[in-house]
Amino acid sequence: MRLWMILRGQSRAAAGLPAEFDPQAPSRLPLPQVAERLFWAWSLMGGLMLFAAWWMQEHGWWRSLIDGDPSGISMAIVALAVVVTGWCGHRAWTLRSEAQSPAGPWRRAYLDDLARAQPEATQLLAERSHGSHETAWWFCAATIKLGLLGTVVGFIVMSTQLGKSQSFELAEVQQLLQQMTSGMAIALYTTLVGLIANLWLGLQLLLLDRLADRLAADILDSTR
């Protein structure tokens, strides 16, 4: 995120920003068109998520997930992914509105900061365009950490059941294996759900970061 580093303390000229970051480059799509495409891409992804949720319901996968992971960690990851996905949609709409407005709130605020000779004008712009993304990235990373937590919980369940074994008679071994299967299911379900959620949210946030970079560069260029 080179532009992010530039916005936090360096001017565009002093940093020698490469040409591909120039929003006026003829080989690139206009910023409003890029923002429009990103918003509709998120809408398509949201529709895909709803379809996947319906398909899982029709095939009984939600019930299998709930029964297979009695710890509830998998469903917590799903709920977190849904909330962050909704936030990404709202953020895509905000960036789209800013990109399509020649006198949007961020542009006016940046010009006001320059008019008042605020030394932190570029940093404030960086905060407006990227600040909330850092929190979203933290939640994105939290999904995979919750998956790893579920893996640990699953192995703890397995080891606890194994420690309760008093003998190795056939009937007791069969019961022990059934109980250990529950722990293994927790470990596998939470790991799988955590990985999928992390990839899903990471893709959305990456696209938002790229658009925010482009928008911030456009605001800087408009004041040169």
Side-chain angles (χ1 to χ4, degrees), residues 53-83:
W54 170 82
W55 187 86
M56 292 176 63
Q57 176 64 29
E58 289 295 311
H59 290 76
W61 282 28
W62 288 117
R63 176 51 55 187
S64 298
L65 181 62
I66 294 173
D67 294 340
D69 179 18
S71 69
I73 296 177
S74 295
M75 293 307 299
I77 296 174
V78 171
L80 179 60
V82 170
V83 171

Side-chain angles (χ1 to χ4, degrees), residues 154-168:
F155 279 105
I156 290 176
V157 172
M158 292 174 59
S159 61
T160 300
Q161 298 299 330
L162 185 61
K164 293 180 180 179
S165 177
Q166 300 295 329
S167 64
F168 291 95

Side-chain angles (χ1 to χ4, degrees), residues 105-181:
W106 293 358
R107 296 177 189 272
R108 294 198 306 269
Y110 181 64
L111 291 175
D112 290 343
D113 291 337
L114 290 179
R116 294 195 302 268
Q118 282 274 15
E120 302 87 4
T122 54
Q123 295 182 13
L124 293 174
L125 174 61
E127 181 63 27
R128 296 185 193 101
S129 60
H130 293 80
S132 57
H133 293 200
E134 294 184 354
T135 304
W137 275 111
W138 185 91
F139 282 113
C140 177
T143 57
I144 199 167
K145 290 181 173 63
L146 287 173
L148 293 175
L149 174 63
T151 302
V152 174
V153 171
F155 279 105
I156 290 176
V157 172
M158 292 174 59
S159 61
T160 300
Q161 298 299 330
L162 185 61
K164 293 180 180 179
S165 177
Q166 300 295 329
S167 64
F168 291 95
E169 296 180 0
L170 181 59
E172 187 172 346
V173 169
Q174 290 178 342
Q175 182 180 6
L176 176 63
L177 289 176
Q178 292 177 351
Q179 294 172 342
M180 291 180 62
T181 301

